[in-house]
Every structure is written in C-alpha cells, then in structure tokens.
C-alpha cells in the first residue's frame, strides 16, 4: 500500500519569507509473483526490488515532484511515462492526467501527491485519491490509513496545524506502531531548496551503535563503533537527480535511479521510468552485481 506524506509551511528568516516544503515516502514493495516476477522485471532487478523496493517520491524536474502509493504501481508508471514523454506540461495538464489515471484504476490501485513550485516560489500540493483531486493542500497523505492514524496521535490537538511540523522520526515511529507490513523500507525525504531553485533529496547522516555504553562523567561517548560490533553509519548526499545512500564501513552505495539499469531490465519499457535500486562500490562507482543475487 505504501505511505506518503507532504506538507507546506511558510518560514520567516529575518525579513525573508521562505516556503518550506517536505515530502516523505517509504520504499517497500509487496511483490506478487502473478504480476511482478522475474520474467517482467529481470532476475537481478527483481531481487533488488524485493530487498529495497522502489523510490516513490520522484523529482521529475526542478520544480515538480510526483509521489505515488497504492496496490498496483504500474498505474503510477503510466503517469511517469506521460510526464517524461511529454517533457513540457502545465500544472493543469499534470493534475488532469493524474486524476484520469486514478479514476480509471481499480479501488486503492494508485493515489498521487503532486507538488509544484510557481514563479513566485510558492508550492502547490495537489492530492489525488478517493476519486477526486484536492488542490493547494497544506498537508496531504496517501496510502496506509493505519500509518496516518498513528501519525496524527503524535500531533498536539491544542496547536494550529500551521504551528506544527511533521518530522521523519514521527513518520518512522508511526510506521512501526501501525503494524502495517505493506509499509516500510527506507523513508525518503524531498524538500524544496530556494537557493537551488529545485526540489532536492535532503541531506541526511545517520549512525547506529548496537552496543550499550557506560560513560562515566568526563569520558567521551563513542560515535563510531567497529563494524564487528554492529556499528554502522550512512550518508544521503543532497541531490536532485538520484537518491543515494553511502554506507561508509562497507564502501557500498545503494542508488535509486531511472537513468542507469542492470542488463536484465535495460530494455523493459514497463518499468523504464521507475527509480530502481542499484548497488555500487562507493569509491569507484562500479556496480556490485554479485550483491544483487538472492
């Protein structure tokens, strides 16, 4: 089913008013051998899809981000095929096409969140679900209602929504507490960068330490535990074209891209525009095909 959440805020920095836009989405895909099998994905690509899913928050061009959720991702691919083939399209044309695809699909097959930036750097969030489209949303969500219910429990009902921000930690917590096994994987975060004039996959650095530490007064805290003790860290560099996680200890990168493909899926037009994963050696960029096997 997936889960995607988007929100639009206005922040003030000294005398400047800056739009703050965030779009979050999971990567998990629930595979079904009747529809998504080795024959139509390719064996190596299918193995990666089962492990790492696909990216559901996609920066189509600097001022346009499309996110999708649902039980049949091939309907989402129809919208991606439209925008990449058309190359030039207005917001109205994008909204119309997304609604047309949504209405033509079975119930719960596909839902969309469409984020665009106008010439005044203002963001417009449109949500396509339940057979209709809602424009200029301050907040929008698609996918799992169970995750959304858990997310709302973390908001303060006594504060206006414009004074509250949803964070990646809140969404991860909601996914865990929902017990919805159709949602999961990696949580991506897209934001609009006024300086870059573009949506970007937001920078993120994360460290994990598996061992408990007893730290006495005045002693340093260990932030880089050895891999043999379960410690690891990864970085997501800011980028507006691909989504990459660099795992430092392993010299390995997990890259979501629709520019590069493994040989077994390079000519597959049915998945051409999805952001699929490839494992690479970080230091050289060499594809690690041996790690794509089951």
């Amino acid at each position: 089913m997936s889960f995607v959440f988007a929100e639009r805020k206005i922040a003030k920095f000294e005398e400047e008013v800056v739009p703050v836009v965030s779009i979050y989405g999971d990567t998990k895909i629930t595979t079904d051998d009747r529809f998504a099998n080795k024959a139509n994905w390719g064996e190596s690509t299918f193995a990666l899809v089962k492990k790492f899913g696909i990216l559901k928050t996609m920066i189509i061009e600097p001022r346009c981000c499309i996110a999708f959720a649902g039980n049949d991702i091939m309907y989402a691919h129809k919208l991606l095929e439209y925008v990449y083939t058309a190359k030039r399209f207005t917001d109205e044309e994008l909204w119309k096409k997304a609604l047309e695809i949504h209405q033509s699909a079975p119930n719960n097959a596909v839902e969309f969140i469409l984020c665009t930036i106008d010439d005044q750097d203002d963001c417009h969030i449109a949500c396509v679900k339940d057979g209709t489209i809602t424009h200029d949303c301050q907040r929008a969500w698609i996918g799992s209602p169970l995750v959304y219910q858990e997310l709302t429990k973390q908001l303060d009902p006594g504060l206006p929504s414009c004074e509250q921000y949803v964070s990646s930690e809140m969404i991860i917590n909601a996914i865990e507490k929902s017990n919805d096994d159709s949602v999961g994987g990696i949580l991506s975060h897209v934001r609009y960068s006024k300086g870059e004039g573009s949506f970007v996959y937001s920078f993120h650095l994360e460290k994990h330490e598996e061992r408990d530490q007893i730290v006495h007064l005045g002693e340093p805290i260990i932030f880089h535990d050895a891999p043999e003790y379960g410690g690891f860290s990864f970085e997501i560099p800011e980028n507006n074209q691909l989504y990459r996680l660099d795992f430092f200890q392993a010299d390995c990168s997990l890259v979501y891209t629709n520019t590069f493909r493994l040989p077994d899926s390079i000519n597959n037009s049915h998945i051409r525009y999805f952001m699929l994963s490839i494992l690479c050696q970080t230091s050289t960029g060499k594809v690690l095909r041996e790690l794509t096997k089951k």
Side-chain angles (χ1 to χ4, degrees):
M1 169 60 77
S2 309
F3 183 73
V4 177
F5 179 88
E7 71 175 352
R8 174 173 57 95
K9 300 288 183 180
I10 299 296
K12 291 185 178 181
F13 298 96
E14 297 180 350
E15 300 299 320
E16 186 177 14
V17 177
V18 179
V20 178
V21 184
S22 290
I23 309 107
Y24 301 94
D26 75 321
T27 57
K28 186 172 181 178
I29 291 293
T30 303
T31 56
D32 189 327
D33 288 337
R34 294 174 300 169
F35 302 104
N37 52 35
K38 296 177 184 177
N40 54 26
W41 286 86
E43 183 174 1
S44 296
T45 300
F46 185 56
L48 285 170
V49 167
K50 290 199 293 184
K51 286 182 180 179
F52 305 116
I54 66 174
L55 198 68
K56 302 165 192 172
T57 53
M58 295 182 56
I59 300 172
I60 304 302
E61 55 183 36
R63 291 173 173 256
C64 177
C65 177
I66 292 176
F68 56 89
N71 295 328
D72 192 341
I73 60 172
M74 293 310 167
Y75 284 98
H77 195 267
K78 289 184 177 182
L79 182 60
L80 300 177
E81 185 176 33
Y82 165 77
V83 297
Y84 281 112
T85 302
K87 295 183 180 179
R88 283 181 172 272
F89 53 88
T90 65
D91 288 2
E92 290 76 12
E93 290 169 336
L94 175 63
W95 298 332
K96 180 180 178 181
K97 189 64 177 180
L99 182 59
E100 174 188 306
I101 292 172
H102 169 67
Q103 291 178 336
S104 69
N107 189 37
N108 294 325
V110 69
E111 299 171 340
F112 297 105
I113 288 179
L114 313 169
C115 299
T116 55
I117 305 294
D118 63 23
D119 293 337
Q120 287 72 46
D121 275 338
D122 191 19
C123 178
H124 302 275
I125 300 176
C127 183
V128 181
K129 67 178 181 181
D130 298 329
T132 189
I133 181 169
T134 305
H135 294 282
D136 286 322
C137 305
Q138 180 180 329
R139 284 179 175 159
W141 67 276
I142 54 176
S144 171
L146 296 177
V147 176
Y148 181 68
Q149 290 171 12
E150 291 297 332
L151 181 61
T152 57
K153 292 178 183 178
Q154 300 176 67
L155 298 174
D156 188 343
L159 286 177
S161 60
C162 61
E163 298 180 12
Q164 299 186 69
Y165 286 78
V166 170
S167 66
S168 56
E169 290 78 11
M170 292 169 67
I171 295 178
I172 291 171
N173 185 52
I175 292 172
E176 292 175 350
K177 289 188 175 182
S178 72
N179 294 317
D180 187 341
D181 60 6
S182 71
V183 185
I186 298 163
L187 184 69
S188 64
H189 176 203
V190 175
R191 65 178 180 85
Y192 179 69
S193 170
K194 186 176 180 180
E196 296 291 332
S198 173
F199 284 106
V200 295
Y201 296 110
S202 189
F203 171 82
H204 181 72
L205 177 63
E206 191 167 318
K207 300 177 182 180
H208 291 262
E209 311 298 333
E210 297 299 321
R211 292 191 300 172
D212 292 334
Q213 295 183 49
I214 298 177
V215 180
H216 298 288
L217 185 63
E219 293 182 347
I221 299 174
I222 300 173
F223 288 104
H224 295 280
D225 207 355
E228 57 264 32
Y229 297 118
F232 72 94
S233 57
F234 68 88
E235 177 183 278
I236 301 173
E238 182 174 291
N239 197 294
N240 67 355
Q241 296 182 350
L242 53 81
Y243 187 67
R244 191 178 88 232
L245 295 86
D246 297 331
F247 294 89
F248 300 122
Q249 288 86 344
D251 189 23
C252 177
S253 293
L254 176 63
V255 182
Y256 289 87
T257 174
N258 56 10
T259 303
F260 303 100
R261 287 288 189 258
L262 295 177
D264 62 3
S265 59
I266 195 169
N267 295 318
N268 191 335
S269 61
H270 300 292
I271 59 174
R272 177 177 298 166
Y273 301 109
F274 282 139
M275 297 280 280
L276 305 180
S277 60
I278 296 177
L279 287 169
C280 302
Q281 187 175 29
T282 306
S283 57
T284 65
K286 181 181 178 181
V287 175
L288 301 175
R289 294 182 185 175
E290 65 274 13
L291 295 182
T292 67
K293 298 178 182 179
K294 283 187 177 181

